[in-house]
Amino acid sequence: MTGRRAALAAALATPLLLPALRRATAQGAASGFPSRPIRVLVPFAPGGQSDTVIRLLAPKMGEVLGQGLVIENRPGGGGSIAGGVVAGAPADGRTLLFDSFGFLIIPFLVKGLSYDHDTAFAPVGQAVSAPYVLVVKKALPPRTLTEFIDYAKANPGVTYGSPGTGTVGHLAGALLASRAGIQLEHVPYRGGAEAARDLAAGSVDCAISTANSLRPLIEDGRGVGIALTSGERRGTLANLPTIAESGFPGFDLTSWNAMFAPAATPAPVIEKLEAAMRAAVQDEATRQRLILAGNDPSAEGAAAFAARIRREKEVVARIVRETGIKAD
């Protein structure tokens, strides 16, 4: 009977002990974190927006964390390949995803994901926001958005490159085509740098990507800046008009770059990562480099960024319904 009473007492005590055990486990995980370099997956090719931003943040983040960040480019699948690796990684904060606004679009366009996109990730925080810009190749006649739309109406099937399926560039092109009544043909790349390269070579008619990728073409005359996708003029290309002010009020698609960890990563670990990223964004030297690359540093924490994701996901769902956008 004594053994039975002991077993019963242990069973009754277990539900009371579990929260304390979880807290102790989380605190233990955070106290020794990070004990080795942190792997950060970027779902785009080297040289593009997301890759550039995390490489600017990495030195200061590594200094704060006491461990280096190892950047790994895993392009493809609209970001779902890199996302799948992180979603399946141990929830210990040592494998992270550094993504863009396209993160919100993946579940609408990429079918048969190997993970539940809505529950697989824990937001760490947003680092920057960045408008996209529509740039046409030098040989194309348009110099304003009105001229571009007139040209597209007279030449159905104008091609536009973007950093990939499901990115802001992809979505912005589809939304502009829908609202302007024109036919544009999407050409997805593995990153903004590759789209910029082909635009400079004249392989695509235009591209919609970040200032980081396309501003050099505007500055050296290999491309012509037409309009920004953001609701207001901002960033290093604030001299260009917005699509909204060029005849499409309410048009506002602004990208961001942010960090995600696997779901169930202990809160103390998330807090350490969030603090390191905030320190990097607020570091004056890093901040200036981010601005020169066409970004608006934001340092939005995990809770505020999670709320942003919920709001913007509804916007994406509405645009997907309006445009009928599909994966290429």
Side-chain angles (χ1 to χ4, degrees), residues 67-259:
Q67 290 287 345
L69 273 62
V70 178
I71 314 302
E72 182 178 332
N73 299 89
R74 282 289 190 95
S80 62
I81 293 176
V85 173
V86 176
D92 56 11
R94 295 189 177 95
T95 304
L96 306 172
L97 177 69
F98 194 75
D99 209 342
S100 68
F101 186 93
F103 174 88
L104 297 176
I105 307 172
I106 289 173
F108 294 99
L109 299 189
V110 181
K111 306 303 180 185
L113 290 174
S114 60
Y115 54 94
D116 185 340
H117 191 275
D118 290 335
T119 61
F121 305 98
V124 172
Q126 178 184 340
V128 300
S129 58
Y132 270 45
V133 58
L134 167 62
V135 178
V136 301
K137 65 182 180 182
K138 183 179 179 180
L140 221 62
R143 294 296 180 266
T144 66
L145 187 63
T146 299
E147 291 175 358
F148 175 78
I149 291 170
D150 289 342
Y151 180 86
K153 287 180 177 177
N155 300 272
V158 167
T159 56
Y160 76 99
S162 84
T165 296
T167 60
V168 162
H170 183 193
L171 203 64
L175 184 59
L176 177 61
S178 173
R179 295 192 177 177
I182 57 178
Q183 179 186 337
L184 300 177
E185 182 181 339
H186 180 230
V187 182
Y189 288 88
R190 299 192 307 162
E194 293 189 359
R197 179 201 63 207
D198 270 15
L199 178 63
S203 301
V204 289
D205 297 318
C206 60
I208 307 177
S209 189
T210 60
N212 175 60
S213 296
L214 296 179
R215 189 180 71 252
L217 275 65
I218 298 173
E219 292 176 342
D220 65 18
R222 291 179 294 163
V224 179
I226 298 296
L228 298 172
T229 66
S230 50
E232 67 284 333
R233 299 190 187 201
R234 59 193 301 176
T236 53
L237 291 175
N239 60 304
L240 293 177
T242 65
I243 292 175
E245 71 183 79
S246 302
F248 299 91
F251 196 109
D252 184 5
L253 284 172
T254 302
S255 188
W256 40 251
N257 287 113
M259 188 85 76

Side-chain angles (χ1 to χ4, degrees), residues 25-31 33-34 38 61 64-65 86 90-97 120-126 258-279 300-306:
T25 300
Q27 290 167 356
S31 63
F33 175 82
I38 296 171
M61 286 189 66
V64 173
L65 291 167
V86 176
D92 56 11
R94 295 189 177 95
T95 304
L96 306 172
L97 177 69
F121 305 98
V124 172
Q126 178 184 340
M259 188 85 76
F260 299 86
T265 299
V269 172
I270 295 288
E271 290 166 6
K272 279 194 172 184
L273 293 168
E274 178 186 339
M277 192 164 70
R278 181 181 296 109
E300 190 168 73
F305 182 58

Side-chain angles (χ1 to χ4, degrees), residues 31-58:
S31 63
F33 175 82
S35 59
R36 58 178 184 267
I38 296 171
R39 180 187 182 201
V40 183
L41 275 74
V42 178
F44 303 100
Q49 167 71 10
S50 300
D51 181 68
T52 297
V53 172
I54 187 56
R55 291 183 190 277
L56 289 174
L57 296 173

